[in-house]
Amino acid sequence: MRSDILAELQADVIPKRFVSPGVRAVLSILDNSRKNNILDLGQMNQHNASFFADYNCKLFVENIASSLNEINAGADIDEYLLNYGDETQFDAIFAWDIFNYIDLKQLSRLISRLKKNCRPDTLMHVVSYTNDRISEIPQKFGLLDSDTFEVGFGVLVERPYPQNSAFDLLSHLPGFIAQDTWLPKDGMLPGAMEYSFRFNPRNVRQVETTGAAVKHVSREFVDSHKTLHQSPGLERMLGELDKCERAPSVLDLGQRIDSNVNVLKQHRASVFVENLISSIGGLNNRPSGGRSDVGAHTIGYDTSQTFDVVLLWDILNYLQPSQIEQLANKLRPHCVPGTKLFAVSYTHKNMPESPRRFTIGNDCVLSYNDTPDNYREIPYFTTLDILRRMRGFKIEKTFLFQEGMQSGITELILTYDP
């Protein structure tokens, strides 16, 4: 689609301002002591040119939108890209919403071409639409300050390609790993989430992680467990406990493991353990076995008992949507503003037949016994699916594909925000 046609389609669109935590995070890594190179895959925008000039940056603009029809039809993508010498190394890439409109095979070719001009740790910002109907054409994003952009929406149409999760995108972003995810919040662009991806030329993607890939753990711990998983989410949780001015309280909804209780007590925590799966009658959430409600006898504490941290582990993967809603209803009376929930989400086609027993080691390394991943009768829930069923809770942070993490595992931190 030519630039003049794009301009005509967007001529009558009145742009609106939105907050962008993703833009703020990407800009925060720039080195102000030197000139930074910025690659903009979107359309030329005077706001961006002025902003990056003031930010001591050199801006390169590709305007992929003007060539999308040809690119998606299978044209050689090199014909539509600028030629960069080896001396040009990008510090940040702003893809905006382009990835919603490009064929994934061509996306792989695009990134393979661009990564030759990426520095180690180059960050890429991506806007991913979550609705079935999106703007007919890629939008023109204009930076107004370090965490605000303006964008205008035109005619809404059925999206040309399915919504891609971070995992879907990662398989087509050679050399990049996931850095952060921001779900929609008040003030952000409605119907969109933001990702940042970090260029990692060592390609440490942990398809099969071994003990050598995680932080130092004791020899006894390595020898006695089969699988190790570095847990940045658990590290964040333990840090929350240490911030509490009073002795914190933790609710562990997994199986009781005495060593885990001892680790939590080292952070001054009072620990309450309730095996949720056992409390609702086992894994009878399968269609063939009926369904038990998360009922009156589950999490049956006095309402005066509140928790600073709730460890859900991988339990949400084994609950029906109605059970997740019931669980949220049971937790809310025991939460205070800022209570954190830690959850593990399985994103592969299959998952273990039963919840894992996660054992906490030193340096926030989790261990669990290897079991065949041969079960998934309950559909995979996206992060947004979980949020819709957990009223009052918001996503604070997601972790995936970070060093030492096992493939197919996403860690979520939810915050109670009534």
Side-chain angles (χ1 to χ4, degrees), residues 56-345:
N56 192 31
C57 296
K58 182 175 182 179
L59 180 64
F60 300 81
V61 180
E62 281 289 357
N63 195 5
I64 296 293
S66 64
S67 309
L68 272 175
N69 288 345
E70 295 81 1
I71 291 172
N72 287 333
D76 184 355
I77 203 165
D78 279 344
E79 296 181 8
Y80 300 94
L81 298 178
L82 300 173
N83 290 317
Y84 306 105
D86 293 339
E87 70 281 359
T88 300
Q89 297 287 293
F90 300 122
D91 298 280
I93 299 174
F94 289 87
W96 304 118
D97 63 353
I98 293 295
F99 292 177
N100 297 274
Y101 298 88
I102 191 170
D103 176 80
L104 287 179
K105 290 182 180 179
Q106 291 291 64
L107 175 60
S108 296
R109 297 186 179 106
L110 170 65
I111 300 303
S112 294
R113 168 72 161 72
L114 295 177
K115 71 178 185 179
K116 295 182 291 186
N117 295 96
C118 290
R119 302 181 190 274
D121 296 326
T122 292
L123 282 185
M124 178 164 59
H125 175 263
V126 173
V127 173
S128 177
Y129 296 131
T130 59
N131 294 335
D132 292 332
R133 295 179 65 81
I134 63 176
S135 181
E136 184 178 12
I137 56 174
Q139 294 307 290
K140 192 172 184 178
F141 290 79
L143 284 172
L144 303 180
D145 55 47
S146 61
D147 65 354
T148 307
F149 57 62
E150 68 171 20
V151 61
F153 281 93
V155 177
L156 298 181
V157 298
E158 294 294 326
R159 57 186 310 135
Y161 298 101
Q163 180 192 353
N164 294 306
S165 68
F167 281 96
D168 297 327
L169 288 175
L170 274 172
S171 62
H172 298 278
L173 301 178
F176 283 84
I177 61 176
Q179 180 79 4
D180 278 303
T181 302
W182 296 271
L183 275 81
K185 294 182 179 180
D186 291 344
M188 290 177 61
L189 180 63
M193 56 197 301
E194 299 181 42
Y195 297 124
S196 67
F197 299 96
R198 179 166 58 86
F199 184 57
N200 181 9
R202 295 179 299 143
N203 198 26
V204 181
R205 198 160 291 186
Q206 293 81 48
V207 175
E208 292 296 335
T209 307
T210 64
V214 299
K215 294 179 181 178
H216 172 73
V217 294
S218 68
R219 173 57 57 186
E220 179 182 0
F221 189 79
V222 172
D223 291 343
S224 61
H225 300 83
K226 292 183 179 179
T227 304
L228 301 182
H229 168 85
Q230 186 72 52
S231 177
L234 180 64
E235 184 174 4
R236 176 73 69 92
M237 289 292 92
L238 297 182
E240 292 295 327
L241 297 181
D242 294 335
K243 291 178 184 177
C244 291
E245 295 181 0
R246 52 173 175 75
S249 294
V250 176
L251 175 60
D252 185 339
L253 291 178
Q255 302 177 57
R256 181 181 179 89
I257 299 176
D258 288 340
S259 60
N260 289 356
V261 174
N262 291 335
V263 169
L264 296 171
K265 286 184 175 180
Q266 291 173 14
H267 294 265
R268 305 178 297 120
S270 298
V271 184
F272 299 76
V273 181
E274 179 170 346
N275 188 336
L276 181 66
I277 294 298
S278 176
S279 296
I280 62 176
L283 293 175
N284 54 3
N285 53 324
R286 302 177 189 178
S288 59
R291 184 188 73 216
S292 294
D293 290 338
V294 181
H297 299 293
T298 308
I299 314 179
Y301 303 101
D302 188 275
T303 54
S304 62
Q305 178 61 60
T306 59
F307 300 104
D308 300 284
V309 166
V310 179
L311 300 176
L312 295 171
W313 302 111
D314 59 355
I315 290 168
L316 296 182
N317 299 273
Y318 299 89
L319 300 182
Q320 294 283 355
S322 61
Q323 291 175 309
I324 294 178
E325 293 175 4
Q326 293 163 1
L327 174 60
N329 291 339
K330 296 291 292 186
L331 287 174
R332 277 194 296 273
H334 304 287
C335 294
V336 296
T339 292
K340 310 294 183 186
L341 276 59
F342 172 67
V344 171
S345 176

